[in-house]
Amino acid sequence: MSKIKISPSILSADFAKLGEEVIAVDKAGADYIHIDVMDGHFVPNLTFGPPVIKAIRPYSQKPFDVHLMINPAVQYLADYAEAGADIITVHAEADIHLHRSIQVIRDLGKRVGVSLNPSTHERVLENVIDDIDLILVMSVNPGFGGQSFIESQIIKIQKIREMIGIRDIDLMVDGGIKPNNILTAVKAGANAFVAGSAIFTGGNYAENIDKLRFAADKIE
Ligand code: DX5
Ligand code: ZN
């Protein structure tokens, strides 16, 4: 079986029964639980705050992979850590002082992620790459589930994989991941995948996760 990590995005879950949905994707084989935090300012949509994360925390022991699409982020990082985040990912575009946000997450004892919008050049990672655990390449413009994968991000994933070298950093891709494109991203060097609509559409979460893993395994 593949060594890739799958992080189902609960943005595509039924919000009226979020706890049950977290249990369901956990049992279906999720490696992480991806939680998309949106502020209606950095992105044109609003989602969850720390109280919602705290409320669903008891429903899974899997790492909570919290993707902060908020600007500014730095003054809220402790709230997300206390609410139960294990990985906290900030956008390179969000805070003026990315390095400070990384330090704050590290000092909170959490795993550090940095995300890049599709238009952001990978060079922004150069001066922080030794301080992070996860790089999240956005393959859609953040804000909504169910968008189409932006092909230009494949070359960026390749370049970032080269930059990572022997470092132990997850290279995660978020947006439009489906069984028909996951292999291209695996070949480019990604090892972790967020999927919302591909997992929550259709109702059989285990089958949907297996389809992604099976497609990702087809590497020669
Ligand atoms: C987009 C979010 C994604 C989104 C992915 O802003 O960061 O995590 O939920 O959804 P799909 O897999 O449907 O593109
Ligand atoms: Zn996300």
Side-chain angles (χ1 to χ4, degrees):
M1 210 50 180
S2 69
K3 289 188 188 70
I4 63 156
K5 292 169 188 161
I6 300 282
S7 191
S9 165
I10 60 166
L11 184 62
S12 294
D14 181 347
F15 291 171
K17 47 175 188 174
L18 209 44
E20 290 164 48
E21 292 278 69
V22 169
I23 291 173
V25 282
D26 178 323
K27 284 199 177 135
D31 296 291
Y32 301 148
I33 307 293
H34 188 79
I35 303 173
D36 287 305
V37 176
M38 304 184 183
D39 67 351
H41 167 72
F42 182 68
V43 290
N45 198 2
L46 271 171
T47 58
F48 323 102
V52 176
I53 296 174
K54 195 173 180 182
I56 58 174
R57 182 64 275 190
Y59 291 87
S60 174
Q61 300 301 309
K62 303 272 169 76
F64 273 15
D65 159 30
V66 175
H67 177 193
L68 295 180
M69 287 161 275
I70 64 174
N71 172 17
V74 69
Q75 60 260 54
Y76 300 107
L77 297 171
D79 294 338
Y80 286 97
E82 279 162 28
D86 298 289
I87 305 163
I88 301 180
T89 297
V90 289
H91 266 260
E93 308 86 3
D95 287 317
I96 297 168
H97 303 291
L98 174 62
H99 191 275
R100 176 176 294 146
S101 299
I102 290 168
Q103 279 180 318
V104 170
I105 299 168
R106 185 68 72 208
D107 289 348
L108 288 163
K110 304 300 172 184
R111 298 186 71 202
V112 184
V114 172
S115 184
L116 306 185
N117 281 333
S119 65
T120 301
H121 198 284
E122 63 280 359
R123 72 166 72 88
V124 301
L125 297 167
E126 266 175 23
N127 295 311
V128 296
I129 198 158
D130 286 316
D131 306 309
I132 62 182
D133 304 299
L134 180 145
I135 296 166
L136 181 65
V137 174
M138 290 309 301
S139 43
V140 297
N141 287 299
F144 304 95
Q147 303 181 82
S148 298
F149 187 89
I150 299 171
E151 290 294 332
S152 60
Q153 300 310 298
I154 290 294
I155 291 170
K156 188 154 102 186
I157 294 164
Q158 285 171 353
K159 288 179 183 166
I160 294 173
R161 177 48 71 190
E162 277 180 34
M163 287 171 77
I164 290 173
I166 59 163
R167 295 174 184 87
D168 183 18
I169 296 176
D170 273 339
L171 180 48
M172 182 181 263
V173 185
D174 184 3
I177 290 292
K178 305 280 183 241
N180 68 6
N181 60 21
I182 192 169
L183 183 59
T184 320
V186 170
K187 285 181 176 168
N191 71 300
F193 299 88
V194 176
S197 47
I199 292 173
F200 285 93
T201 304
N204 191 335
Y205 304 162
E207 188 178 283
N208 291 343
I209 291 175
D210 285 350
K211 277 183 190 163
L212 288 169
R213 290 195 196 279
F214 185 73
D217 256 356
K218 291 249 157 99
I219 202 150
E220 303 88 43

